[in-house]
Amino acid sequence: MKIINKYILDELKGPIILAVFVFTFIFLLDIVVAMMEHIIVKGISIFDVLRLLSFYIPPILTQTIPIGMFLGIMICFTKFSRNSESVAMISTGMSIRSILRPIMAIAIGAAIFILFLQESIIPRSFVKLKYVGTKIAYENPVFQLKEKTFIDNLDQYSIYVDKVESDGKAKNIIAFEKPEDKTKFPMVLTGEEAFWKDNSIVLKQSQFISFDENGKKNLTGTFDEKRVVLTPYFENLNLKIKDVEALSITDLVKNIRKVESEEVLKYKIEIFRKLALIFSTVPLAVIGFCLSLGHHRISKKYSFVLAMIIIFAYIIFLNIGIVMASAGKIHPFIATWTPNVLLYFLGYKLYKAKEVRGI
């Protein structure tokens, strides 16, 4: 039996890893498309973009591991059924329960790994994501450039951007110098056009206006081109996690009593959502196993269609529940755990049907 269990585990690894990879790539597509703008238009290096993408992967994995494991189990046992290997396993005296044992081991292992991601890796990933994103923004301000935007997180200047062209150049810029003496009025720089180069903003057709201590115009001047060095003050930046999704279950439970009343609901939804994802691995593994186990002459296309329906139904019901819970229509536990309860019920029914029929 140990040899067969090892064989099943070895055969499951490839399809599960492939399925998780495919679903993770699909979930990343929107982010990748958004990042392409930064690469092509705003001049961000591919290396920096890949670093940013790597920090998005852990939270996505908590969603793609359960469904990837589900599809991977189906692929593996469909092959077993097609090659009559599942029939051979039953013929050697293995019961449905004994065949299911290594699958349950993978499901429990996946649940533990998701818990590890949620408690340890994801909070750090969000900190790193903000850290690297802010560093890129300071070193290359065009990264955060948007029309009708006031940029105030630079060390020496606050900048207003009226319009951004498709080539990344800005139009109608106003820059306010930040004086060391806060009681003094800032010098104002304007420019009809601007572009960024070597951590500096270059203003074309620029004008400057300074003011005296009473706020009256003191000095004015014009430049065909004015280079303003933007010194980043990133080294001493201390970032804290504020997004609810970035917090671990432990931190959510600890902080739920400290937050304002309107934030309590968000914390409860996130706690139950994270727990629901952890415990979804077991029923999905059982359902995938039961749908794919059978005689090789039985067509499997309907099983795969049903499998995709189950996957998308679970995702849709979970998201609908979260929306309704956020609106105060349903208790957060009911909203996030109803899809799980349905999965456990379906898994139990399919398992009992297979156990009665023997295969």
Side-chain angles (χ1 to χ4, degrees):
M1 292 297 180
K2 289 184 179 179
I3 296 175
I4 296 178
N5 288 341
K6 186 178 183 300
Y7 174 72
I8 292 173
L9 290 173
D10 288 340
E11 291 296 311
L12 280 171
K13 285 188 297 186
I16 289 176
I17 292 172
L18 177 62
V20 170
F21 175 81
V22 170
F23 280 115
T24 302
F25 178 76
I26 293 172
F27 276 59
L28 276 172
L29 274 179
D30 286 343
I31 302 172
V32 171
V33 171
M35 289 296 180
M36 290 303 295
E37 177 188 357
H38 300 314
I39 296 174
I40 298 172
V41 177
K42 298 184 178 181
I44 309 302
S45 71
I46 295 178
F47 175 74
D48 286 332
V49 171
L50 290 176
R51 288 182 68 194
L52 290 173
L53 284 176
S54 69
F55 299 130
Y56 281 105
I57 291 176
I60 291 176
L61 281 176
T62 61
Q63 303 175 66
T64 58
I65 286 175
I67 58 178
M69 180 194 62
F70 170 68
L71 188 59
I73 290 171
M74 284 207 65
I75 293 171
C76 179
F77 275 86
T78 297
K79 188 190 77 169
F80 285 174
S81 296
R82 187 173 61 248
N83 297 337
S84 298
E85 291 179 82
S86 56
V87 176
M89 291 176 189
I90 298 296
S91 301
T92 61
M94 291 187 72
S95 64
I96 299 296
R97 181 177 298 181
S98 58
I99 298 175
L100 188 59
R101 194 170 293 133
I103 297 172
M104 293 300 293
I106 287 180
I108 294 171
I112 294 172
F113 183 66
I114 292 172
L115 179 63
F116 170 71
L117 288 176
Q118 291 179 349
E119 293 299 296
S120 179
I121 303 301
I122 291 176
R124 297 177 187 178
S125 293
F126 272 85
V127 170
K128 289 288 186 181
L129 178 63
K130 289 184 178 181
Y131 186 90
V132 174
T134 308
K135 184 175 185 295
I136 293 171
Y138 287 166
E139 292 177 348
N140 189 353
V142 73
F143 176 75
Q144 57 187 353
L145 206 58
K146 294 181 181 179
E147 293 185 354
K148 313 296 183 184
T149 299
F150 191 79
I151 304 173
D152 195 34
N153 56 2
L154 300 169
D155 192 14
Q156 297 167 311
Y157 290 89
S158 298
I159 300 174
Y160 174 78
V161 180
D162 182 58
K163 188 176 180 181
V164 181
E165 301 289 345
S166 59
D167 58 2
K169 291 184 179 179
K171 298 287 187 180
N172 302 326
I173 305 294
I174 303 176
F176 302 89
E177 186 181 34
K178 295 179 179 178
E180 293 183 6
D181 186 352
K182 301 299 181 182
T183 61
K184 292 185 178 181
F185 288 87
M187 183 177 70
V188 179
L189 292 168
T190 64
E192 294 183 7
E193 184 181 279
F195 59 91
W196 273 260
K197 184 178 181 181
D198 300 328
N199 298 336
S200 301
I201 181 172
V202 180
L203 300 173
K204 306 195 76 172
Q205 302 299 318
S206 174
Q207 180 180 14
F208 75 87
I209 306 171
S210 64
F211 302 89
D212 60 21
E213 62 275 6
N214 297 317
K216 294 183 179 180
K217 187 186 296 185
N218 183 29
L219 186 65
T220 62
T222 59
F223 300 94
D224 290 335
E225 188 173 287
K226 172 68 175 176
R227 181 187 179 93
V228 178
V229 179
L230 302 176
T231 304
Y233 59 100
F234 184 76
E235 290 78 10
N236 298 321
L237 187 66
N238 182 24
L239 291 171
K240 294 183 180 179
I241 301 174
K242 294 182 180 179
D243 299 325
V244 175
E245 292 183 7
L247 296 173
S248 66
I249 297 174
T250 304
D251 289 335
L252 287 167
V253 173
K254 285 181 180 178
N255 298 332
I256 194 169
R257 295 182 180 179
K258 302 177 184 178
V259 298
E260 298 178 2
S261 56
E262 58 268 19
E263 294 291 314
V264 172
L265 181 60
K266 293 181 181 179
Y267 274 61
K268 288 182 178 179
I269 292 172
E270 191 61 22
I271 290 170
F272 291 129
R273 186 189 74 87
K274 289 180 182 292
L275 289 172
L277 288 173
I278 293 171
F279 286 95
S280 67
T281 59
V282 172
L284 283 172
V286 174
I287 293 169
F289 167 72
C290 293
L291 287 178
S292 56
L293 189 65
H295 198 277
H296 71 277
R297 287 195 297 266
I298 300 175
S299 174
K300 294 297 174 183
K301 64 179 180 180
Y302 298 112
S303 295
F304 274 101
V305 170
L306 181 58
M308 299 310 296
I309 291 173
I310 291 171
I311 289 174
F312 287 110
Y314 176 75
I315 295 171
I316 291 169
F317 281 133
L318 181 60
N319 286 313
I320 290 174
I322 290 172
V323 171
M324 294 185 71
S326 301
K329 303 291 185 182
I330 304 177
H331 189 277
F333 177 79
I334 297 174
T336 54
W337 272 79
T338 296
N340 269 24
V341 172
L342 294 174
L343 285 180
Y344 274 95
F345 178 77
L346 178 60
Y348 175 78
K349 286 294 185 181
L350 289 173
Y351 171 74
K352 282 298 182 182
K354 287 293 180 181
E355 197 173 39
V356 170
R357 282 161 35 187
I359 190 169

